[in-house]
Amino acid sequence: MTDLMLATPAFEPRPASFDGFVHAQHARLVDGLGRELLLRGVGLGNWMLPEGYMWKFGPGAESPREIERLTERLLGEAAAERFWEGFRTNFIAEADIALIAASGFDHVRLPINSRVIQDENGEPIEAGYAMIDRLIEWCREHKLWVMLDLHGAPGGQTGTNIDDSPHNLPELFMEPRYRELTVRLWQDLATRYRDETVVMGYDLLNEPLPNEWQHTYADALTDLYRDLTREIRAIDPDHLIVYEGTHWATNWDIFTEGWDDNSLLQFHKYWSSPDTESISAFLEVRDRLGLPIYMGEGGENTLEWLYAAFRLYESHGIGWNFWPWKKIDTRTSAASIIAPEGWDRVIASISDPSAITPAEAKPVFEDLLDAMRIENCRWQPDVIAALLASHPTVVPVWGYGYRGAGESYSIAVTGGVKAIRAGDTVPLRWAREGNNPANPFEQMDGRVYDIAEELVVDLSAGDWLEYELTGAAVARVVDGDGRDAAVRVEQTARGIRVIATAETTVSRIYPSGSDKTW
């Protein structure tokens, strides 16, 4: 059993309040008592919609349908059904919710596969709704809101494997029957939860229409959003309605007008420069439409990127949700499931059925059910610390504050690297010139940066950079070669200020705890 040591949050824990509904007010979110919110949450990916990469699976076992076929082939129909019952019991349990709340978060985003809560005729599946009901009760007990997220709509909304579409096509926009089922599904959800204040809002469609589909069916998406809004409001006048843009929720061209005053616009952000320029289009829409915005899914990166990106959102008053809470053998989630012995053979069997026999596979899947319990996972508090900027393990030099010259930095010499914090004048440069990537932030598995990806800043005496965090009385600051930089560190109201005492180069900051140890 792993010792679940918590990372101290960088803010006073603000448990959810269920006195009334979370709602939009003047381009911000407020709770039922009118208190402004800056949401900090985690996504419960894989529980109601399994995704192959979270199991270390590749082509042939990426969508829920494909993963289900693999388990049925390896275990047989009856044993596979028992496995999935155990999976839904063990993967997310009350202990997970208690730990999420204790870590300092205030909500969870629940990705839902329509096949789990709706049959082919549109009738509700009570076993699936029981999972949602159970989660709501746990979150009521531990003071977390729940965002309901339709991750896999009937027929599929993305044209990729992530939505469990039957043919890897966005058939929601191709077949009227799937559109009717989606409208019915949201009518049923709104009817069931219209009085439930633990439910924060309705995320209508996850990442609709990426890639070429964003151009083909953009008008059909806006028509569907309008229709869903009308149908939900006929049943539920109170809950927040959440709309995502096209192309992985990053293209907001469809948001030319507001469809509901009590709504929230959601973007996702992965593997890109954590700077204001990268979210400027979203900020423009917030200002133009007067609606709050939300970073509803992001993560799968290094501690350095997590620290910087999530400070970016908070500096602009944007609430966020980290993706995902747990998966198998990972450095990028808070909880890592330790793969059982033989799991590599299960993975190999996707392309080579002879890699493991059904008799050999059965105990491996049984061990996996036990391994996914949160008390048996490898707990990684440094991920939480990076997200919340509380005792972060490491801070990159390019993660200085986002409040501009005189507030977050003061540098005598200007400069920079193309497309990375280009709106600032801090002279970022490559630690080693040559073969430098256009985008150095694509560490999808949290790997260590290659030398060609390293960024540093040259400082003159008196130059300074501020980093927003808590829990650091002092810090060690190193140059591009890992040696101590010529700086002193001062505490500020927002964190620490790194001040050059002579010409020096800065690469990373290693904050300390209050005990002044590294």
Side-chain angles (χ1 to χ4, degrees), residues 402-467:
Y402 293 91
R403 303 174 193 276
E407 285 286 322
S408 295
Y409 62 87
S410 177
I411 306 288
V413 178
T414 61
V417 172
K418 184 179 179 180
I420 300 173
R421 305 205 66 168
D424 297 336
T425 57
V426 173
L428 286 171
R429 67 169 175 83
W430 299 109
R432 299 287 187 278
E433 291 288 348
N435 298 317
N436 307 117
N439 176 15
F441 304 114
E442 294 188 274
Q443 288 74 12
M444 301 178 189
D445 59 357
R447 64 175 172 79
V448 175
Y449 289 102
D450 293 336
I451 188 62
E453 297 168 323
E454 290 281 358
L455 291 163
V456 298
V457 173
D458 295 320
L459 301 178
S460 300
D463 288 351
W464 57 265
L465 301 164
E466 184 181 69
Y467 297 87

Side-chain angles (χ1 to χ4, degrees), residues 291-515:
L291 293 173
I293 66 177
Y294 169 68
M295 199 298 294
E297 197 181 296
E300 307 289 15
N301 215 307
T302 62
L303 297 177
E304 292 97 325
W305 188 91
L306 294 179
Y307 166 83
F310 286 76
R311 303 293 69 70
L312 167 69
Y313 313 139
E314 295 196 351
S315 296
H316 289 283
I318 300 171
W320 49 261
N321 190 281
F322 169 70
W323 181 269
W325 172 240
K326 66 162 71 160
K327 55 186 181 289
I328 294 176
D329 188 20
T330 179
R331 290 185 288 181
T332 60
S333 291
S336 176
I337 301 167
I338 300 170
E341 185 177 353
W343 191 245
D344 56 337
R345 297 173 64 197
V346 171
I347 295 171
S349 74
I350 298 169
S351 56
D352 177 11
S354 68
I356 192 168
T357 67
E360 293 168 330
K362 183 178 178 181
V364 178
F365 278 90
E366 290 174 348
D367 289 345
L368 179 64
L369 287 177
D370 192 52
M372 67 180 60
R373 296 178 188 273
I374 188 63
E375 57 267 26
N376 295 330
C377 291
R378 183 174 66 248
W379 180 239
Q380 300 179 143
D382 53 351
V383 173
I384 304 292
L387 293 171
L388 302 182
S390 175
H391 300 82
T393 304
V394 60
V395 172
V397 67
W398 40 265
Y400 59 90
Y402 293 91
R403 303 174 193 276
E407 285 286 322
S408 295
Y409 62 87
S410 177
I411 306 288
V413 178
T414 61
V417 172
K418 184 179 179 180
I420 300 173
R421 305 205 66 168
D424 297 336
T425 57
V426 173
L428 286 171
R429 67 169 175 83
W430 299 109
R432 299 287 187 278
E433 291 288 348
N435 298 317
N436 307 117
N439 176 15
F441 304 114
E442 294 188 274
Q443 288 74 12
M444 301 178 189
D445 59 357
R447 64 175 172 79
V448 175
Y449 289 102
D450 293 336
I451 188 62
E453 297 168 323
E454 290 281 358
L455 291 163
V456 298
V457 173
D458 295 320
L459 301 178
S460 300
D463 288 351
W464 57 265
L465 301 164
E466 184 181 69
Y467 297 87
E468 300 187 18
L469 49 84
T470 64
V474 293
R476 184 185 180 208
V477 182
V478 300
D479 64 15
D481 296 317
R483 297 175 300 208
D484 288 343
V487 301
R488 72 176 188 275
V489 178
E490 295 180 355
Q491 286 189 289
T492 68
R494 292 190 288 249
I496 59 173
R497 181 174 292 182
V498 174
I499 306 167
T501 57
E503 286 192 6
T504 191
T505 298
V506 177
S507 172
R508 284 187 177 83
I509 299 98
Y510 297 96
S512 77
S514 58
D515 61 356

Side-chain angles (χ1 to χ4, degrees), residues 178-188 224 228 231:
Y178 288 129
R179 193 183 197 279
E180 292 166 6
L181 288 172
T182 300
V183 172
R184 167 69 187 277
L185 186 148
W186 274 115
Q187 289 171 327
D188 289 344
L224 179 58
L228 289 173
E231 295 300 324

Side-chain angles (χ1 to χ4, degrees), residues 46-83:
N46 207 46
W47 187 39
M48 295 187 77
L49 194 155
E51 294 191 44
Y53 86 95
M54 297 194 195
W55 304 66
K56 297 296 181 182
F57 293 162
E62 293 178 307
S63 74
R65 296 170 193 267
E66 292 173 332
I67 298 170
E68 289 165 11
R69 284 196 290 268
L70 175 67
T71 58
E72 188 168 329
R73 174 168 65 80
L74 291 176
L75 303 177
E77 184 176 352
E81 186 174 337
R82 288 193 297 272
F83 168 77

